[in-house]
Amino acid sequence: MANKILVIVFILFCLELGFFLVIFPWTPYWGNNFFLTYLPLVKQIVLSNYFRGAISGLGLVDIGIGLWEASHFRIAVAQLNAK
């Protein structure tokens, strides 16, 4: 039972983190960062659309991992039970 809960929590974590990484870089909160006010070079990089796209791409990869784990749920639980 604990192994099933562990796999479900991992799947939800991957999906939640993935959706966050896809959406958050494109919100106004992304540029309102305390550290960016003191590091202008880093601010230029972080506010670049290429960097935001890379972060969103990582989010899509994370969503893919969550969906893959969800589709192979029984295999993951069986592997945890075997250990």
Side-chain angles (χ1 to χ4, degrees), residues 26-46:
W26 305 103
T27 63
Y29 299 110
W30 181 258
N32 296 336
N33 190 333
F34 172 76
F35 298 107
L36 295 181
T37 58
Y38 295 107
L39 302 168
L41 180 63
V42 175
K43 183 176 184 176
Q44 221 174 16
I45 295 169
V46 169

Side-chain angles (χ1 to χ4, degrees), residues 1-78:
M1 181 65 177
N3 291 334
K4 287 182 182 181
I5 294 172
L6 180 67
V7 174
I8 290 170
V9 167
F10 179 70
I11 291 169
L12 291 176
F13 174 75
C14 287
L15 292 175
E16 183 178 353
L17 181 64
F19 285 120
F20 177 78
L21 289 176
V22 168
I23 296 170
F24 187 70
W26 305 103
T27 63
Y29 299 110
W30 181 258
N32 296 336
N33 190 333
F34 172 76
F35 298 107
L36 295 181
T37 58
Y38 295 107
L39 302 168
L41 180 63
V42 175
K43 183 176 184 176
Q44 221 174 16
I45 295 169
V46 169
L47 294 179
S48 165
N49 287 337
Y50 296 111
F51 187 80
R52 290 178 179 194
I55 299 298
S56 292
L58 286 175
L60 291 175
V61 169
D62 207 21
I63 290 170
I65 290 170
L67 292 175
W68 187 87
E69 286 290 333
S71 67
H72 295 87
F73 177 76
R74 290 185 182 180
I75 296 170
V77 172

